[in-house]
Amino acid sequence: MKRIVLGAVCLFLYASLQAQETFPVNGVRDARTHVTAFTHATIHTNHQTTLEDATLLIQEDRIIGVGNGIEIPKNAKVIDLEGKHIYPSFIDLHTSYGMPEVKRPAFRRGGSEVIQPQTKGPYNQNDAIKAHINAVEVFKKDEKWASSMRGQGFGAVLTHHPDGLARGTSAFVTLHDGTENKVVLKGKAGAHYSFAKGTSTMNYPSSIMGYMALLRQTMLDATWYQQVGKNKFHDEGLEAMLANKGLPQFFTTRGKLNFMRADKLGDEFGVQYVIKGTGDEYQNLDWIKKSKAPIILPLNFPKAYDVTDPYDALNVSLAQMKHWELAPSNPARLIDAGMTLAFTTDGIRNKKGFMAALQKAIKAGLSEEMALKSLTSTPAELAGVNDMLGTLDKGKLANFIITSDNVFSKGNKIYHNVIQGKSFPINALPEEDIRGEYILEVSNWIHKLSISGTAEKPSYQVISGDSTKLKTSGSFKDGWLTLSYSTDKSNTQTIRLSGTRSGTNLSGEGQMEDGDWVSWVAKYRGPSEAKGGGKKGPKGKMGEKKEIKLGDVIFPFVAYGSQELPQQEDVLFQNATVWTNEADGKVEGMDVLVKDGKIAKVGKRLKAGKAKVIDGSGMHLTPGVIDEHSHIALSGVNDVAIISSMVKMKDAVDHESINMYRQLSGGVVAAQLLHGSANPIGGQSALVKFRWGQTPDGLLIKDADEYIKFALGENVKRSRSSNSIRFPQSRMGVEMVYVDGFTRALEYGEKWKAYKANPASTEVPRQDLALDALLEIINKERFITCHSYVQSEITMLMRVAERFGFRVNTFTHILEGYKVADKMAKHGVGGSSFADWWGYKFEVYEAIPYNATLMAAQGVTVAINSDNAEMARRLNQEAAKSVKYGGMSEEDAFKMVTLNPAKLLHLDHRMGSIKVGKDADLVLWTDHPLSIYAKSAITMVDGTIYYSLERDEKLREEIQAERMRLIEKMKSEKKAGGPTQRAWGRPRHSWHCDEIIDYQLEATHGHD
């Protein structure tokens, strides 16, 4: 057998494999089998197994043996890798390698609306559904990109076309430079989805709620299509959705909220997605853990902010600062939580930064063992190719990297990346690694010789006696060592030596300072003690974790979040002026006992027992304020289908909205989070309590009635815009939308009744999520809150409702309600109004501050709402305006922001007054609750104090201290030469009723 010693030349491997059987050969066919043995290497067969002084045997593109003492076939090429390491090549599951460029349309504030699909052919009714695209059909190798990935140790990737909500299938390919036929290992490897509609120019969907609604509807349509639809029409998108069901399912998300939204969608349809995360999962780890979703994790950690200038530092939120510090710990935290991870280079523009980022994660607690697993065996398993790749086992593809050292050590070099048996040089291999400690014998002189540095560039030091370092220089090239050192301080006496390596020793001849020639030998004694280490073994053990001190994770992950969430407790409020909103009215010197989140007792001189006692002397205790009409704590507000009743605001709840905390400081405990007013029939509402620090689902009020947003007026018809082509464009058209929608809903309901009565002989109807919601309204299972201004339209909607046998629940805004208050009372509809807004558009020119009082006088249940993030913090003062302008009693005025909105939301059996058995949603005010001087000393929700003046002061101090700590840390990072970015901040968006912004264009990180 032939032994190849590694010199200055590149590693010798056959440059090409045998031609594939189905391809023609231009020349004489090479029928020989190529066997190569890589010997004396430290081989990491997987993340748990390391073999020292082992051999890897490959034939063509396959591994035919790995281990110690393997018999090497005759005529095999033998590659000596003494001192080197072999690892499986890495795998990336989130790439668009070889895909056509996706040119997303520029954001247009002008231009005509696009209502119909623009894709020609038998495709889906929405251009964002591109399930018919198969990556393998459009894949073209990109050698430049492949080379950059090979240089980081990657040998194979999963690639998909990143366009649309349903993105079709991916292909699993290697980074070999052969033909597409050679590199594609799996043509349809996975089905891919996202929350970005990509190149679709259609207006719907334009929000996260719309994206989820369209995906839901499409998945339902696919099931129906399989049963019935394919006999009626052909849809390539639905055909593909069905065909792709059996593949691994991947979902691309941006941010932890979308991560959980994707998992929620999967749960609804019995699908466990592999979810591509963002890197902020640690911020809600318990929540993420419950998903049990495998995660494809990017390592594009943020740079430190340049906060040298104190004014610049003000632009950076606490959340941004903390994320900079904590992001590198995300992988370790997820692994420790039992999550399955696969790393991706996605988001790292220069792929050379990937390993540095991974080393940062290891420094932050990630074990090297799990880092290797997340780059090799885990992605192979998730892609369903673990029979071919991921570990170095007999029978698998010969995909591996040859490294100088532990692959995760800072000084490591990747010498070669072998893919399907072909070697791709990354860095030149040194001929031999001669580093170590030697005893140097020259004539009658005995010295110490230390060779350290790196294998590629050794450094030399001759030491006389125990510690005298002699001036030394040397070089090792083409297997030949040249060494010289001085024997006196003047450096005039120099000994020059030349020689080669024999076994572990060095030897040769040299010339003394007097010109005589002598023989010399340097006998190897072990690895170098100097910096740079010896030639054998990794610098660190696999699985080793290096801990660093980090700040705390807070909930929610914004300012005023806390490491420890407030807990429910039993409380006795003593000697306060209690506004009961019941028959007792306002009573001075009363006690209220809260137990297990409920109001347990109301009276005087109550016994505290084990309850915490709060002295309310001179203060006022009231029910918590309820906002009937709000758009805070949402990731979007409008979608733009004419009838958007399929979209759910519950899908868009953002638990980190700082406005919740700010409104708690104003005594607000609950709100209805509404869709906007872009269409006649908007989306389904979310009723929430402001449980600051809980997840979106934790904010929702359980067992509450369901609501939906309708809208009238200018925002709906949009006739002022020359770009609008969407029906309706007149107030008469708005009415027809309602009539047509409810008529179709009745017909739809009849179809389902017929099917349920006789499923054997009746065709199953197509489930329509929009009509489902309208049918719920007719059946009095869902209730309407309607954006309204003009009296004629208010009357119109009441008549439409009566025609279809139901009642409108609430007219909101209702600034002309005083004109039709008698009709409203007769219909049974409530009014949720502004106190004194007027003149901000034509429809409200006739608004008056007496509106609430005049409606109430006719027997209408009246509430005062905010529709504004800032106004909601002072709804108590807004209620007081009806005392000033309308002469309303103080108690009736205060009911407009407590008991009355509870009645409109059908929650008055639980909220809105202080009564035994109701939820303990209470506010302790420092002054009369209708006074501009009143502050909330305590705001309690379900018996938990989520806001108090005392706690707020403590949190402010903690925020200031944490900001200063992080500022100093970032300044130190900059001083040490670390990369920085410009200090910037963007306020978290406050949505308005008529606002339409495409969700995929919105930033995900806000400002606190």
Side-chain angles (χ1 to χ4, degrees):
M1 81 189 140
K2 183 180 179 183
R3 180 178 181 84
I4 298 177
V5 178
L6 299 177
V9 296
C10 292
L11 171 64
F12 174 79
L13 280 177
Y14 46 88
S16 61
L17 301 175
Q18 283 183 281
Q20 297 178 64
E21 295 295 332
T22 58
F23 274 53
V25 177
N26 182 22
V28 178
R29 183 180 297 274
D30 183 357
R32 295 174 299 171
T33 58
H34 299 276
V35 177
T36 306
F38 300 87
T39 63
H40 303 299
T42 299
I43 302 178
H44 307 265
T45 61
N46 57 52
H47 69 285
Q48 293 177 315
T49 307
T50 299
L51 306 175
E52 300 287 350
D53 195 22
T55 296
L56 178 68
L57 203 61
I58 71 172
Q59 181 173 344
E60 304 294 349
D61 63 350
R62 297 281 166 173
I63 297 171
I64 60 173
V66 60
N68 301 104
I70 289 181
E71 183 178 352
I72 300 174
K74 293 180 179 180
N75 298 321
K77 299 179 179 70
V78 179
I79 311 297
D80 186 355
L81 293 180
E82 186 175 7
K84 311 298 183 296
H85 294 247
I86 296 178
Y87 292 86
S89 291
F90 304 153
I91 300 169
D92 192 331
L93 294 183
H94 195 270
T95 77
S96 56
Y97 169 52
M99 293 295 105
E101 183 182 0
V102 176
K103 294 183 179 179
R104 291 185 174 86
F107 179 53
R108 299 174 300 123
R109 291 195 179 274
S112 295
E113 296 165 323
V114 179
I115 310 298
Q116 300 297 330
Q118 305 299 295
T119 305
K120 305 302 179 184
Y123 297 106
N124 196 261
Q125 49 88 25
N126 195 287
D127 285 341
I129 302 299
K130 302 180 185 293
H132 59 278
I133 293 177
N134 297 309
V136 69
E137 296 172 3
V138 294
F139 173 70
K140 292 183 179 179
K141 292 192 291 78
D142 179 348
E143 179 56 25
K144 182 178 179 181
W145 192 90
S147 177
S148 70
M149 290 290 283
R150 291 194 297 259
Q152 299 307 303
F154 288 87
V157 301
L158 191 67
T159 181
H160 74 282
H161 195 239
D163 186 13
L165 299 175
R167 296 177 162 185
T169 63
S170 55
F172 192 87
V173 303
T174 70
L175 300 178
H176 194 281
D177 62 357
T179 63
E180 280 81 357
N181 184 284
K182 169 71 181 176
V183 304
V184 175
L185 299 185
K186 220 173 184 183
K188 292 185 179 179
H192 290 254
Y193 301 88
S194 79
F195 286 139
K197 67 181 184 182
T199 57
S200 171
T201 57
M202 293 180 68
N203 285 59
Y204 174 77
S206 64
S207 68
I208 184 61
M209 311 88 68
Y211 293 169
M212 292 188 72
L214 179 57
L215 284 170
R216 277 194 191 99
Q217 186 65 68
T218 306
M219 291 171 184
L220 290 171
D221 285 349
T223 301
W224 172 81
Y225 179 81
Q226 188 174 33
Q227 296 172 309
V228 176
K230 62 170 53 183
N231 297 322
K232 298 176 178 291
F233 63 93
H234 184 81
D235 186 318
E236 280 291 307
L238 297 181
E239 289 276 359
M241 294 281 284
L242 292 168
N244 300 342
K245 271 188 174 181
L247 299 174
Q249 305 287 301
F250 296 87
F251 209 113
T252 299
T253 65
R254 186 176 65 175
K256 57 185 180 290
L257 274 171
N258 282 352
F259 184 108
M260 294 312 301
R261 288 163 180 156
D263 187 68
K264 174 185 175 183
L265 195 64
D267 290 345
E268 291 177 20
F269 291 90
V271 176
Q272 180 60 74
Y273 291 115
V274 178
I275 301 178
K276 186 264 177 180
T278 304
D280 57 0
E281 291 77 17
Y282 68 92
Q283 296 171 14
N284 279 98
L285 194 54
D286 290 342
W287 185 32
I288 297 290
K289 184 178 178 180
K290 290 175 184 176
S291 74
K292 297 181 181 178
I295 303 173
I296 301 173
L297 196 65
L299 299 176
N300 51 332
F301 305 133
K303 300 175 185 176
Y305 294 91
D306 187 350
V307 290
T308 308
D309 188 303
Y311 285 106
D312 287 341
L314 293 175
N315 289 327
V316 186
S317 71
L318 179 66
Q320 288 173 305
M321 289 184 179
K322 289 186 73 65
H323 182 58
W324 162 74
E325 180 186 46
L326 294 171
S329 71
N330 187 50
R333 293 174 191 266
L334 289 170
I335 289 290
D336 291 344
M339 303 302 290
T340 299
L341 296 190
F343 294 134
T344 176
T345 60
D346 183 67
I348 300 177
R349 291 184 180 181
N350 186 345
K351 302 307 179 190
K352 291 181 179 179
F354 174 78
M355 189 53 70
L358 187 56
Q359 289 164 350
K360 204 170 186 178
I362 291 170
K363 188 177 179 182
L366 176 67
S367 74
E368 293 179 349
E369 177 184 74
M370 297 311 295
L372 183 61
K373 183 181 182 184
S374 299
L375 286 166
T376 53
S377 58
T378 294
E381 289 169 8
L382 294 177
V385 295
N386 50 316
D387 59 331
M388 294 186 282
L389 294 170
T391 60
L392 299 179
D393 294 311
K394 185 177 180 180
K396 290 191 175 183
L397 281 176
N399 273 36
F400 57 91
I401 54 175
I402 300 170
T403 68
S404 65
D405 216 320
N406 176 351
V407 72
F408 302 117
S409 63
K410 192 171 183 179
N412 174 67
K413 282 189 176 183
I414 298 175
Y415 291 130
H416 282 249
N417 193 338
V418 179
I419 300 173
Q420 293 174 276
K422 178 177 178 179
S423 177
F424 293 88
I426 309 301
N427 288 292
L429 266 161
E431 299 175 43
E432 297 177 77
D433 188 351
I434 62 171
R435 291 176 297 168
E437 300 294 333
Y438 298 83
I439 297 298
L440 176 61
E441 299 177 5
V442 182
S443 186
N444 296 322
W445 297 91
I446 298 178
H447 301 304
K448 293 179 182 178
L449 171 62
S450 177
I451 305 178
S452 57
T454 64
E456 297 83 358
K457 192 176 180 179
S459 58
Y460 306 86
Q461 181 63 65
V462 174
I463 302 170
S464 176
D466 292 331
S467 59
T468 303
K469 294 181 179 180
L470 305 178
K471 186 175 181 180
T472 310
S473 63
S475 67
F476 184 70
K477 189 175 181 181
D478 297 333
W480 197 261
L481 174 68
T482 300
L483 184 73
S484 64
Y485 60 94
S486 301
T487 58
D488 64 345
K489 291 183 180 180
S490 64
N491 299 323
T492 58
Q493 303 293 321
T494 302
I495 297 176
R496 294 174 295 138
L497 308 177
S498 291
T500 59
R501 185 180 183 190
S502 177
T504 58
N505 297 332
L506 302 168
S507 62
E509 294 183 336
Q511 192 173 34
M512 304 293 286
E513 60 268 27
D514 58 5
D516 289 344
W517 287 85
V518 294
S519 297
W520 64 273
V521 63
K523 298 176 181 179
Y524 182 74
R525 289 293 177 263
S528 172
E529 297 175 1
K531 187 176 181 180
K535 65 180 179 181
K536 291 185 179 288
K539 291 182 180 178
K541 294 180 180 179
M542 293 293 291
E544 198 175 71
K545 292 179 72 172
K546 305 173 181 65
E547 301 292 342
I548 59 173
K549 188 175 181 181
L550 299 171
D552 296 325
V553 178
I554 56 176
F555 306 96
F557 200 76
V558 291
Y560 300 96
S562 178
Q563 187 183 11
E564 296 182 3
L565 295 178
Q567 299 298 311
Q568 191 179 86
E569 54 188 330
D570 295 345
V571 174
L572 177 63
F573 293 96
Q574 288 184 331
N575 200 34
T577 298
V578 178
W579 296 55
T580 66
N581 281 355
E582 295 288 338
D584 291 339
K586 181 172 61 173
V587 185
E588 295 183 0
M590 288 286 283
D591 299 346
V592 175
L593 179 64
V594 172
K595 193 170 184 180
D596 298 326
K598 300 288 184 179
I599 297 170
K601 291 182 180 179
V602 180
K604 294 195 176 185
R605 293 180 292 278
L606 298 179
K607 300 296 184 182
K610 295 182 179 180
K612 174 182 177 180
V613 176
I614 296 177
D615 184 7
S617 299
M619 305 174 85
H620 296 250
L621 186 68
T622 73
V625 174
I626 302 170
D627 192 350
E628 190 276 340
H629 184 147
S630 177
H631 301 296
I632 71 160
L634 293 171
S635 298
V637 68
N638 271 304
D639 219 298
V640 293
I642 301 169
I643 296 178
S644 290
S645 50
M646 62 287 192
V647 310
K648 301 178 180 182
M649 304 316 291
K650 289 179 182 178
D651 290 336
V653 174
D654 177 2
H655 66 299
E656 293 188 337
S657 170
I658 192 64
N659 283 311
M660 271 195 294
Y661 183 80
R662 290 170 178 161
Q663 290 176 22
L664 281 165
S665 75
V668 185
V669 298
Q672 178 176 206
L673 306 184
L674 287 164
H675 190 274
S677 55
N679 25 31
I681 300 177
Q684 303 169 29
S685 305
L687 272 58
V688 300
K689 285 195 179 184
F690 290 169
R691 303 179 183 111
W692 182 241
Q694 299 295 325
T695 63
D697 284 347
L699 299 178
L700 297 175
I701 300 175
K702 307 301 181 186
D703 302 319
D705 281 349
E706 299 290 345
Y707 284 76
I708 190 169
K709 172 73 174 291
F710 276 36
L712 302 167
E714 292 182 21
N715 291 0
V716 176
K717 64 187 183 68
R718 297 187 300 172
S719 55
R720 292 172 296 172
S721 171
S722 60
N723 301 314
S724 178
I725 62 170
R726 191 200 72 183
F727 183 87
Q729 300 226 317
S730 69
R731 297 180 194 270
M732 299 85 78
V734 173
E735 179 177 4
M736 289 312 302
V737 169
Y738 298 140
V739 173
D740 178 66
F742 287 122
T743 300
R744 288 192 294 119
L746 285 173
E747 294 170 352
Y748 173 75
E750 290 302 315
K751 288 181 181 179
W752 277 103
K753 282 181 185 177
Y755 172 73
K756 289 175 181 177
N758 192 3
S761 59
T762 306
E763 183 180 278
V764 60
R766 170 183 173 268
Q767 184 176 356
D768 188 312
L769 295 176
L771 293 180
D772 281 344
L774 296 186
L775 195 57
E776 289 171 354
I777 296 169
I778 295 173
N779 293 335
K780 303 178 181 64
E781 297 168 344
R782 185 174 297 279
F783 303 92
I784 296 172
T785 291
C786 185
H787 163 114
S788 54
Y789 288 106
V790 178
Q791 61 173 324
S792 59
E793 289 189 298
I794 297 166
T795 303
M796 173 271 291
L797 185 57
M798 287 190 288
R799 288 173 178 167
V800 169
E802 290 165 4
R803 172 178 170 181
F804 287 92
F806 66 90
R807 294 293 184 269
V808 180
N809 189 86
T810 310
F811 281 114
T812 189
H813 303 326
I814 195 68
L815 294 182
E816 289 192 11
Y818 66 94
K819 296 182 180 181
V820 290
D822 55 341
K823 295 178 181 178
M824 291 173 63
K826 184 178 179 181
H827 182 80
V829 63
S832 185
S833 181
F834 298 130
D836 60 354
W837 277 23
W838 72 282
Y840 52 90
K841 60 180 176 178
F842 180 77
E843 290 178 308
V844 295
Y845 279 9
E846 296 183 26
I848 59 174
Y850 311 99
N851 183 49
T853 304
L854 292 173
M855 285 193 294
Q858 293 295 317
V860 176
T861 300
V862 181
I864 299 295
N865 66 63
S866 72
D867 193 20
N868 178 274
E870 187 274 330
M871 183 191 288
R873 294 187 286 123
R874 47 183 174 82
L875 276 174
N876 59 320
Q877 297 173 31
E878 293 299 300
K881 291 176 180 178
S882 288
V883 177
K884 175 180 179 180
Y885 292 109
M888 188 180 285
S889 72
E890 290 182 350
E891 289 182 55
D892 285 344
F894 197 66
K895 286 178 182 178
M896 291 197 297
V897 292
T898 51
L899 184 59
N900 289 3
K903 289 179 178 179
L904 295 177
L905 298 175
H906 305 178
L907 293 170
D908 51 306
H909 63 293
R910 296 176 52 178
M911 304 173 67
S913 66
I914 297 178
K915 181 181 179 180
V916 173
K918 285 196 172 185
D919 296 351
D921 301 330
L922 303 170
V923 184
L924 185 64
W925 302 90
T926 60
D927 208 322
H928 190 293
L930 297 180
S931 168
I932 61 172
Y933 299 107
K935 296 179 181 179
S936 169
I938 289 174
T939 303
M940 172 182 282
V941 181
D942 294 326
T944 301
I945 297 174
Y946 283 99
Y947 174 85
S948 71
L949 289 172
E950 180 182 357
R951 186 167 185 267
D952 181 74
E953 184 177 355
K954 181 172 178 279
L955 287 173
R956 288 172 186 268
E957 292 172 355
E958 290 176 358
I959 290 167
Q960 182 67 11
E962 182 71 343
R963 284 183 62 88
M964 294 310 298
R965 180 186 73 83
L966 289 165
I967 285 170
E968 289 304 314
K969 191 170 183 178
M970 283 189 280
K971 286 165 63 179
S972 297
E973 177 89 355
K974 180 183 178 181
K975 189 175 181 180
T980 61
Q981 60 176 310
R982 180 175 61 88
W984 64 277
R986 182 180 182 183
R988 192 176 289 268
H989 199 82
S990 292
W991 295 97
H992 298 284
C993 198
D994 59 348
E995 193 165 20
I996 302 172
I997 296 179
D998 196 314
Y999 181 75
Q1000 72 179 355
L1001 300 171
E1002 266 296 292
T1004 57
H1005 296 293
H1007 193 292
D1008 50 57

